[in-house]
Structure formats: C-alpha cells, structure tokens
Amino acid sequence: MPFNLTFSLGPAAEAGTRAFCFVDESATLVVYADPDCLTIEPPRDPALWPDFAKFLCQLRNAADELAGWLEREPACSGVEQQE
C-alpha cells in the first residue's frame, strides 16, 4: 500500500527526548516527533518478514545517507545573501 508521509520534529522531540523506540513485545518501531507519532509494524504474515527486513535496512541506509549529507552541508538561513 503506497503512501506519502511528511512530518517534522516538534520542540519536545528536539529537546533531547528519545525520538525512536523499539517495542519488542509488539515488534514495533515508534518514532516520536512531538506532537505526532509514527509506528512501523511488520506484516502479520511471517512469510513477508524477509522483504520487510530488507525495507527496514533500506530505510536505515537512507537515513544514514541523509544524516551524512546534513552533517557536511552548511546550514542555510533560507535567505539568499546578496553581494
């Protein structure tokens, strides 16, 4: 089921609260974004878990790539400076 999701971290999430949590009992990844929360749950059918595990690895790799890019790019104020 394809979907698009856009959200930004709120002030409490940025203030050092734990943003991610793995809940072992329900095999759920929780992303706290103050005030929003996103849960990522595996498919109910265990036969689909290998493909879901691949998806999670791709998500991890893309997040690492984005974090690396953000760490090396200078912050932009959003306003072009004129010379």
Side-chain angles (χ1 to χ4, degrees):
M1 177 174 161
F3 66 93
N4 292 318
L5 173 69
T6 303
F7 69 99
S8 298
L9 295 179
E14 294 173 356
T17 60
R18 189 170 178 188
F20 301 95
C21 177
F22 172 66
V23 182
D24 190 28
E25 297 82 26
S26 60
T28 301
L29 176 64
V30 182
V31 180
Y32 297 101
D34 178 47
D36 300 315
C37 181
L38 167 72
T39 60
I40 301 175
E41 301 175 1
R44 293 184 191 266
D45 183 355
L48 300 175
W49 288 359
D51 285 337
F52 187 71
K54 289 177 190 175
F55 162 76
L56 292 175
C57 289
Q58 292 170 341
L59 179 62
R60 176 200 60 212
N61 294 343
D64 284 345
E65 186 177 337
L66 176 57
W69 184 86
L70 291 171
E71 289 170 347
R72 74 169 185 266
E73 291 297 318
C76 177
S77 67
V79 178
E80 298 281 334
Q81 292 196 6
Q82 298 184 9
E83 298 182 26

